[in-house]
Amino acid sequence: MVNRTEKLIFEYSEEGRTSFSLPKADLPDSTAGQNFPAGMIRGAGELPKLPQVVETELIRHFTNLSRLNYSLDVGFYPLGSCTMKYNPKVNEAVSMLPGIADVHPLLPDRYCQGMLEIIYDMEKYLCEILGMKRVTMQPLAGAHGELTGIMMIKKYHESRGEKRTKVVVPDSSHGTNPATAAMCGFELVSIKSDANGCVDLDELRSVMNDQVAAFMLTNPNTLGLFDVNIEKIAKVVHDSGALLYYDGANLNAIMGIARPGDMGFDVTHVNLHKTFSTPHGGGGPGSGPVGVSERLVKFLPSPTVEYDDSSKRYSLKFDNIDSIGRVASFHGNFGIIARAYAYIISLGASGILKCSQNAVLNANYLMNHLKKHYNLKFDHTCMHEFVLSSDNLAKFGVTTLDVAKRLLELGYHAPTIYFPIIVHEAIMIEPTETECKERLDEFIATMIQIAKEAETSPDVLKNAPQNTPVSRLDETRAARMPVLRCCACDGCPAPSSQKEESSRETRKKTASAQK
Amino acid sequence: MSNYPEDLRYTEQHEWVRVEGKSAYVGVTDHAQHELGDIVYVELPSVNQMIEVSEKICVVESVKTVSDVYSPVSGKVITINIDLEDNPEIVNEDAYGEGWMVEIEMTNPEEVQSLMTAAEYKNFIEEAAS
Amino acid sequence: MNYVANTQQDQAAMLHDIGAASVDALFSDVPERLRLKGLLKLPEPASEMEVMTKFRSLAGRNSSLSEYKNFMGAGSYEHFIPSAVQAVIGRSDFYTAYTPYQPEISQGTLMSIFEYQTMICNLTGMEVSNASHYDGATAFAESMIMSHNVNGRREFLVAESVNPRYMTVLKTYAAAADFIIKIIPADRHTGKLDAEFVKTNISDSTAAILVQNPSYLGVVENFSSFSEIAHKNGALFAVSANPISLGLLAPPSSYGADIVSGEGQPLGIPTSFGGPNLGFMASTQKQMRRMPGRIVGETVDKNGKKAYVLTLQAREQHIRREKASSNICSNQALCALASTVYLSYVGPYGLRDVAARCSDLAHYMAREIAKVRGFEVSFEGTAFFHEFVVKYPSSLTFDRIFDHFHEAKMLPGVSLSDFFPGEPNQMLVCATEVRTKQDIDAYVKRLGELKW
């Protein structure tokens, strides 16, 4: 990462600059302008304001932007709940092959057998890893998979003539869980964790009844602890006629060790961009396949991919009358699916097991060293991640945010902070299996150094980071006076970084100029 | 630290009420604005909206949190403080004065009697902190 | 292949520090009953060479755009992608970066999203854009939900001529949220929507009118009257637009759209068997806080330096939880970056030229096809962009037509057998700027060679 300033691309723009050209037109006179209804063709002065740059400046701009980023190829990301494991390059290469990257999604089945095989095999592999009956690859991200899963659960109950209106989640759950349930019209019931950070069985029993559609859970939970009562939990949920939903964010802890299906989960979603090594891309694209048990198979999104053993052909099946419908335009984020497919076949069964074994080993190694210097609320063997707190540093006036910013200064991406909300000043750390022991030792040393600095020179933390392109942003201002696009093209000066008043004036001018 | 004007009444959800004739002015307390941090947005109800006691009437956003404001009284919304739309920070600066949020024409003025006094609210805060 | 560095020595050293007897012992919380006894039934590990071989073999069984002249559109479009796009998104500083929650070390991602938001606003004529949605269909569904969040109503008037896959997604989301969808019929002769139906069926329960422009069938209309009807009744007007067409055609803001969404795949993203794609979504300043998804804003840092940050996060799931307007977490950041590079590369004149070339070629193709005996182009006299409907003789099946063209290394179009009840013999044909007059002439000739 390089510490320099970069302008917005609009600031490089000048009328008439371009590197783009099309082949010469080989048609007679263009009649394009004559067809369209009145008012539907842009006039000469009405073209959209897009940058006008030559390729040199365009490439320089985006290359310089990229150098303002920290990335996984540069260093460690101990982000709890994100599973930032290495993104293998062969996965990139194969997904970009002609015949893989440039295939139209609506080809008749007979002309895309290779693509259908990838989808079908991925479903098979995920069924095996998860212990589920069938999988859909259609959902386009983890939260999208959750939505798909809850939609299927809703339809399941409706098909049995039952009107269930509630979904239960633990108070430690990821925000997408309650948001998803609300999108499907369910009322949320949140239950407190027990003293060990796991599901409080008595609390669960007290809320489960014939009004509850599902209990959404991840195991290991967001504290990185495996809930040993999982089978009892499943029984309580199923006894009341509800279904058990598995949030697959933490799957990296248990692959090849145990399977959510065997634990009693009815619906599971998986994040290919976490557990299965596909790149984060700065915030997507991801992929969130969903697995289901037998009783939910008929509600899966349509079409499903089928295989005929005698003809050895794959086909798309559309006549699934009980399907919830579609959640995406086509078959899912195929490019991401292809990368995850390459990953799974590269690793094989033994490699998949090795992931979870080493993810858990690495996490316990870090935890055992760091618990001597930070608070560890739940001092128990963890799975692939664990949660510390900086509460022991509070007496020096230091918060988790300060620790995180000092880590940025020392060349790391910070761990996940302030989540889960049940741990005060939380620091959630997940090393993954792709970090080597030397990296982990360096990280431990750095975290110990920071804890010491908190005591002897807390200002060092409070002033961090000093060596990054920008430092300690004014997020209040960003939310109070939202400036969400560049106005330079409108003839307004770009929003100034000086007085708040002048910035607001500019926005008002822009808003009225737009009308 | 937080202050507790004597002429107001208070709720456990950290709203305050100032009665002026038939009207009740409502806002969030100094303690609340302090807990919320920098307030970035206040979502106000519509004028003429009918509101029940304990019903959600406003939403207050800070950068990292969102909080519902519940009406301490029943009635009709007469006025809303539109200054808060462009300057939500007024709530941080003057929670009991310029930071008022809504004026409600009360349908049951006796409801105010069941709210906490300044001393009771101060006690409530101090007990919760220990 | 292996990506784990830990050797047996490393493991032993770590276990020693932990005080555990074995790696297996770390899993003691997992009940014995649940522990898998053998390996999962997955293939043997493959070397990189074997992975490559496998993929080349799979690729060989797909009719790719590099080998076949493509005339299929219907929601996934072949456009020329400048090499600069891959040069940028292939940089690992972009594609292996995490979501920019730590803004100090993510200014590259944040600035490029801010640029993306600006370009989407400029293309659509709207004031606020989010950082991207999953795809055109889900963005359309979210505009339905957003309308409900604005006015609390649960009924929607949706054009019959929207992409049928979008319609299915809308219905799936509507079923989950207990919304009601009423279909606005499209005229069988003109392809245009029935404005009278809208006037008669709009009520104060209607949250929004949703249309696609150009429609799935290629038809372009000026929807000013629709937005007027919507606004008069307190409803919103939401449009799904083709972003390439916006280089040539008037932006939806000019005919009263409140929410504009669409599929951004045509902007520098390969077809990739339908994903990853790019949903874009933009709205007015007034509705800014109702927009789902991540949004990047400009601010300053503690030293007064201009900086970019994820903002208005109090709308999102990780803060609002069940009160969030949407559950979206990840978006399609890398695809948004691709579109930003594409739009920067072609610029306003380039985009207009691409759109005009698509339209010119499609209109030429439609005229030539109409000359072939037995074949008709539907909706004569109605404006279309780069796709149009071809009616073929009833004695032909779509499969026969497709195979006939496939033999000649062409992909003739997408079937509309299920689109018009009672009228199965139709297909959707598309021509983009990657085609030439020569390609089209070859197509028309091939069409003429069909025996029926």
Side-chain angles (χ1 to χ4, degrees):
Chain A
M1 197 172 57
V2 171
N3 191 351
R4 63 187 295 285
T5 311
E6 180 58 27
K7 301 188 289 195
L8 292 171
I9 191 162
F10 305 98
E11 299 173 74
Y12 293 95
S13 183
E14 196 175 291
E15 177 68 29
R17 283 188 179 154
T18 188
S19 290
F20 180 73
S21 63
L22 282 175
K24 267 171 82 176
D26 52 2
L27 283 177
D29 283 71
S30 159
T31 54
Q34 293 171 9
N35 262 15
F36 297 100
M40 281 306 288
I41 281 271
R42 289 185 191 258
E46 293 170 355
L47 294 186
K49 290 187 168 70
L50 297 172
Q52 297 186 59
V53 291
V54 287
E55 190 172 310
T56 323
E57 290 306 307
L58 180 147
I59 289 292
R60 282 213 181 122
H61 168 71
F62 286 106
T63 303
N64 283 315
L65 278 191
S66 77
R67 294 165 88 213
L68 295 174
N69 268 2
Y70 183 85
S71 64
L72 191 52
D73 273 8
V74 159
F76 186 26
Y77 269 86
L79 276 166
S81 175
C82 298
T83 313
M84 294 295 284
K85 64 171 77 179
Y86 175 69
N87 308 139
K89 302 315 169 201
V90 59
N91 301 354
E92 297 304 303
V94 296
S95 312
M96 294 199 277
L97 288 171
I100 300 288
D102 59 349
V103 179
H104 196 283
L106 297 173
L107 280 171
D109 298 347
R110 58 195 179 280
Y111 297 125
C112 54
Q113 287 289 298
M115 308 306 252
L116 296 178
E117 179 175 330
I118 290 174
I119 295 176
Y120 185 84
D121 278 358
M122 268 302 283
E123 293 181 6
K124 212 170 60 187
Y125 299 153
L126 288 176
C127 281
E128 176 63 13
I129 292 170
L130 298 169
M132 308 262 55
K133 184 76 181 164
R134 276 207 75 156
V135 163
T136 172
M137 302 305 296
Q138 218 186 80
L140 303 168
H144 205 216
E146 282 180 42
L147 184 63
T148 309
I150 297 297
M151 284 176 175
M152 289 194 278
I153 289 174
K154 181 168 174 161
K155 194 149 191 206
Y156 166 82
H157 290 300
E158 282 171 357
S159 74
R160 291 158 63 86
E162 293 187 30
K163 183 95 180 124
R164 292 179 176 242
T165 53
K166 300 189 176 134
V167 166
V168 180
V169 301
D171 56 2
S172 56
S173 74
H174 193 273
T176 50
N177 294 169
T180 300
M183 273 175 93
C184 295
F186 287 110
E187 196 189 308
L188 253 302
V189 177
S190 180
I191 57 169
K192 283 193 168 35
S193 309
D194 68 10
N196 300 317
C198 294
V199 173
D200 185 322
L201 271 171
D202 289 329
E203 268 255 352
L204 183 64
R205 283 191 193 100
S206 74
V207 301
M208 291 306 298
N209 56 36
D210 63 6
Q211 288 299 296
V212 175
F215 181 39
M216 297 177 80
L217 189 59
T218 182
N219 193 23
N221 61 25
T222 51
L223 295 165
L225 302 172
F226 191 90
D227 199 324
V228 305
N229 289 324
I230 187 61
E231 289 171 295
K232 291 198 185 108
I233 292 168
K235 185 161 191 321
V236 169
V237 172
H238 290 141
D239 280 351
S240 68
L243 297 180
L244 192 57
Y245 180 95
Y246 183 73
D247 179 333
N250 295 330
L251 185 66
N252 207 44
I254 56 167
M255 289 198 292
I257 305 285
R259 306 190 306 177
D262 300 333
M263 294 177 208
F265 286 95
D266 300 289
V267 187
T268 69
H269 91 264
V270 171
N271 301 286
L272 297 187
H273 49 291
K274 292 185 179 187
T275 322
F276 295 95
S277 85
T278 71
H280 268 70
S287 173
V290 176
V292 295
S293 58
E294 178 73 63
R295 49 186 161 180
L296 288 156
V297 169
K298 61 184 178 177
F299 304 110
L300 284 169
S302 200
T304 50
V305 180
E306 309 294 332
Y307 179 66
D308 180 61
D309 217 18
S310 47
S311 64
K312 300 270 185 275
R313 299 195 73 80
Y314 300 90
S315 62
L316 290 169
K317 184 166 176 296
F318 285 91
D319 59 354
N320 310 302
I321 46 169
D322 291 309
S323 163
I324 54 169
R326 269 188 176 277
V327 294
S329 303
F330 301 112
H331 311 287
N333 274 342
F334 185 83
I336 306 305
I337 296 167
R339 285 163 169 81
Y341 175 78
Y343 182 69
I344 293 176
I345 66 175
S346 298
L347 264 53
S350 55
I352 291 284
L353 173 63
K354 215 167 145 188
C355 281
S356 293
Q357 287 173 329
N358 285 281
V360 170
L361 175 64
N362 285 355
N364 278 284
Y365 180 66
L366 284 183
M367 186 181 80
N368 272 277
H369 280 280
L370 293 176
K371 71 183 185 189
K372 302 168 194 149
H373 305 274
Y374 292 85
N375 272 7
L376 178 67
K377 194 166 165 194
F378 302 102
D379 189 353
H380 181 88
T381 305
C382 66
M383 298 266 86
H384 65 314
E385 67 190 4
F386 58 98
V387 183
L388 298 172
S389 161
S390 70
D391 270 347
N392 58 311
L393 306 176
K395 55 184 181 280
F396 310 120
V398 161
T399 63
T400 284
L401 186 69
D402 300 322
V403 172
K405 298 302 180 189
R406 180 62 174 144
L407 270 170
L408 300 187
E409 193 165 54
L410 293 170
Y412 291 89
H413 191 284
T416 303
I417 52 176
Y418 298 106
F419 179 78
I421 53 187
I422 56 172
V423 175
H424 190 247
E425 295 287 317
I427 304 172
M428 189 204 272
I429 294 173
E430 178 186 357
T432 82
E433 74 283 5
T434 55
E435 298 303 323
C436 64
K437 187 170 175 297
E438 290 77 12
R439 289 271 182 195
L440 299 179
D441 288 335
E442 276 168 18
F443 180 69
I444 290 167
T446 305
M447 287 290 281
I448 293 174
Q449 174 192 335
I450 293 176
K452 294 207 168 90
E453 284 172 349
E455 185 173 356
T456 57
S457 41
D459 277 349
V460 170
L461 277 67
K462 293 239 160 267
N463 294 331
Q466 310 249 39
N467 60 353
T468 50
V470 293
S471 175
R472 301 268 185 161
L473 278 62
D474 188 347
E475 298 194 28
T476 301
R477 174 190 166 127
R480 274 188 187 156
M481 300 182 338
V483 175
L484 308 176
R485 63 191 172 103
C486 171
C487 299
C489 335
D490 290 348
C492 294
S496 100
S497 50
Q498 280 119 27
K499 286 187 180 169
E500 294 198 352
E501 287 79 44
S502 61
S503 183
R504 226 179 299 152
E505 277 309 298
T506 309
R507 272 197 317 122
K508 282 188 182 150
K509 266 193 232 147
T510 314
S512 57
Q514 279 281 324
K515 291 193 172 71
Chain B
M1 266 297 310
S2 298
N3 72 80
Y4 313 94
E6 296 281 322
D7 59 326
L8 307 179
R9 294 287 203 154
Y10 301 82
T11 69
E12 287 187 1
Q13 282 80 34
H14 310 288
E15 293 97 16
W16 57 262
V17 180
R18 186 174 74 246
V19 176
E20 282 183 17
K22 280 236 208 91
S23 287
Y25 285 84
V26 178
V28 299
T29 64
D30 194 42
H31 172 88
Q33 70 78 17
H34 187 258
E35 290 289 294
L36 286 165
D38 287 338
I39 290 170
V40 302
Y41 185 68
V42 180
E43 195 181 306
L44 298 168
S46 317
V47 171
N48 291 328
Q49 192 177 322
M50 295 303 297
I51 200 87
E52 286 290 309
V53 63
S54 297
E55 209 185 312
K56 182 178 87 174
I57 191 167
C58 304
V59 182
V60 177
E61 284 180 25
S62 64
V63 172
K64 298 276 189 230
T65 61
V66 82
S67 237
D68 291 331
V69 177
Y70 302 96
S71 184
V73 295
S74 312
K76 185 162 79 164
V77 177
I78 304 289
T79 340
I80 54 175
N81 186 355
I82 50 163
D83 284 344
L84 297 182
E85 267 173 25
D86 279 342
N87 299 87
E89 65 272 13
I90 296 175
V91 177
N92 290 119
E93 291 159 6
D94 189 12
Y96 299 116
E98 300 293 315
W100 68 275
M101 291 179 181
V102 291
E103 181 194 358
I104 298 172
E105 190 181 71
M106 293 183 281
T107 44
N108 297 348
E110 325 81 59
E111 282 166 342
V112 181
Q113 299 312 314
S114 51
L115 301 176
M116 289 186 270
T117 60
E120 286 166 347
Y121 179 62
K122 179 164 188 267
N123 245 8
F124 172 70
I125 298 291
E126 283 166 0
E127 260 169 38
S130 56
Chain C
M1 296 225 43
N2 172 56
Y3 304 104
V4 173
N6 291 342
T7 59
Q8 283 210 323
Q9 230 169 323
D10 294 326
Q11 285 191 353
M14 290 202 266
L15 285 169
H16 171 265
D17 285 3
I18 294 168
S22 64
V23 171
D24 217 53
L26 297 173
F27 290 96
S28 54
D29 276 350
V30 181
E32 197 48 45
R33 204 173 27 256
L34 292 174
R35 291 291 296 267
L36 293 170
K37 299 297 178 269
L39 284 179
L40 292 168
K41 292 186 198 62
L42 295 173
E44 287 287 299
S47 64
E48 184 167 344
M49 279 168 58
E50 288 163 300
V51 174
M52 268 294 174
T53 307
K54 175 71 179 170
F55 267 81
R56 288 197 203 283
S57 148
L58 289 165
R61 289 157 57 216
N62 305 315
S63 302
S64 77
L65 303 184
S66 52
E67 285 179 59
Y68 290 79
K69 300 275 189 206
N70 174 44
F71 297 89
M72 295 169 70
S76 180
Y77 300 95
E78 184 187 3
H79 290 282
F80 185 75
I81 303 174
S83 309
V85 174
Q86 184 54 41
V88 172
I89 65 172
R91 292 184 69 81
S92 69
D93 307 276
F94 277 130
Y95 82 82
T96 70
Y98 179 62
T99 309
Y101 286 128
Q102 291 290 350
E104 284 98 339
I105 57 175
S106 320
Q107 288 297 292
T109 298
L110 288 162
M111 281 179 76
S112 64
I113 297 175
F114 188 78
E115 292 172 347
Y116 163 83
Q117 286 169 189
T118 307
M119 292 183 208
I120 294 296
C121 285
N122 292 352
L123 258 191
T124 59
M126 307 307 286
E127 294 167 314
V128 178
S129 161
N130 70 11
S132 75
H133 216 283
Y134 306 131
D135 68 358
T138 52
F140 204 36
E142 290 271 359
S143 59
M144 182 176 68
I145 296 172
M146 181 175 161
S147 305
H148 163 77
N149 286 333
V150 170
N151 57 35
R153 303 175 181 182
R154 312 193 86 90
E155 282 184 21
F156 297 86
L157 290 168
V158 182
E160 183 186 18
S161 53
V162 309
N163 184 316
R165 284 165 290 283
Y166 285 28
M167 184 68 86
T168 309
V169 171
L170 278 184
K171 287 180 174 168
T172 304
Y173 274 66
D178 297 315
F179 291 160
I180 298 168
I181 292 181
K182 288 196 184 149
I183 309 287
I184 309 168
D187 187 286
R188 290 283 179 271
H189 299 289
T190 63
K192 292 186 186 173
L193 293 180
D194 183 349
E196 279 313 306
F197 180 92
V198 178
K199 285 198 188 108
T200 323
N201 286 274
I202 196 161
S203 71
D204 55 15
S205 304
T206 310
I209 300 175
L210 276 73
V211 306
Q212 192 173 16
N213 202 19
S215 74
Y216 182 63
L217 308 173
V219 168
V220 176
E221 290 192 64
N222 185 327
F223 283 115
S224 302
S225 59
F226 280 63
S227 67
E228 272 159 31
I229 299 170
H231 295 149
K232 210 161 44 187
N233 285 275
L236 271 69
F237 184 53
V239 178
S240 174
N242 175 312
I244 297 280
S245 77
L246 294 177
L248 185 67
L249 300 179
S253 59
S254 69
Y255 49 88
D258 300 290
I259 307 173
V260 182
S261 64
E263 179 54 70
Q265 175 270 325
L267 304 173
I269 298 161
T271 52
S272 192
F273 207 54
N277 283 348
L278 174 64
F280 65 85
M281 193 166 169
S283 184
T284 55
Q285 183 86 3
K286 186 161 168 241
Q287 305 304 349
M288 172 179 69
R289 291 192 140 81
R290 305 265 184 218
M291 281 269 283
R294 297 176 174 145
I295 297 184
V296 172
E298 193 180 276
T299 184
V300 294
D301 77 348
K302 72 179 186 198
N303 300 314
K305 195 173 170 196
K306 207 191 300 188
Y308 299 87
V309 70
L310 287 173
T311 191
L312 302 184
Q313 288 192 63
R315 295 163 304 120
E316 295 184 66
Q317 46 77 27
H318 56 293
I319 291 175
R320 283 229 182 206
R321 296 175 67 90
E322 67 272 14
K323 295 175 193 157
S325 52
S326 166
N327 73 343
I328 186 172
C329 187
S330 286
N331 52 312
Q332 302 282 100
L334 200 68
C335 300
L337 177 61
S339 71
T340 308
V341 178
Y342 178 84
L343 288 170
S344 302
Y345 198 91
V346 299
Y349 300 108
L351 189 66
R352 199 261 328 264
D353 289 346
V354 168
R357 182 67 60 90
C358 291
S359 182
D360 289 350
L361 287 165
H363 281 78
Y364 172 71
M365 191 170 183
R367 282 197 300 278
E368 294 301 303
I369 286 176
K371 293 175 188 165
V372 181
R373 189 186 66 92
F375 294 87
E376 270 176 59
V377 173
S378 303
F379 315 141
E380 202 191 314
T382 305
F384 64 90
F385 177 51
H386 66 358
E387 286 180 284
F388 51 92
V389 178
V390 171
K391 280 202 178 87
Y392 50 84
S394 54
S395 56
L396 281 171
T397 64
F398 181 74
D399 281 347
R400 250 197 75 203
I401 296 175
F402 204 96
D403 289 344
H404 174 76
F405 275 88
H406 192 264
E407 271 165 36
K409 293 287 194 190
M410 290 186 249
L411 307 174
V414 174
S415 172
L416 289 171
S417 321
D418 295 325
F419 195 88
F420 295 100
E423 298 176 37
N425 303 325
Q426 306 192 47
M427 63 179 182
L428 192 61
V429 179
C430 175
T432 64
E433 84 285 7
V434 297
R435 295 282 76 88
T436 63
K437 178 175 178 294
Q438 209 176 353
D439 294 335
I440 292 170
D441 292 339
Y443 181 107
V444 174
K445 180 159 180 280
R446 190 74 185 164
L447 192 68
E449 288 163 2
L450 268 166
K451 304 260 186 291
W452 51 270

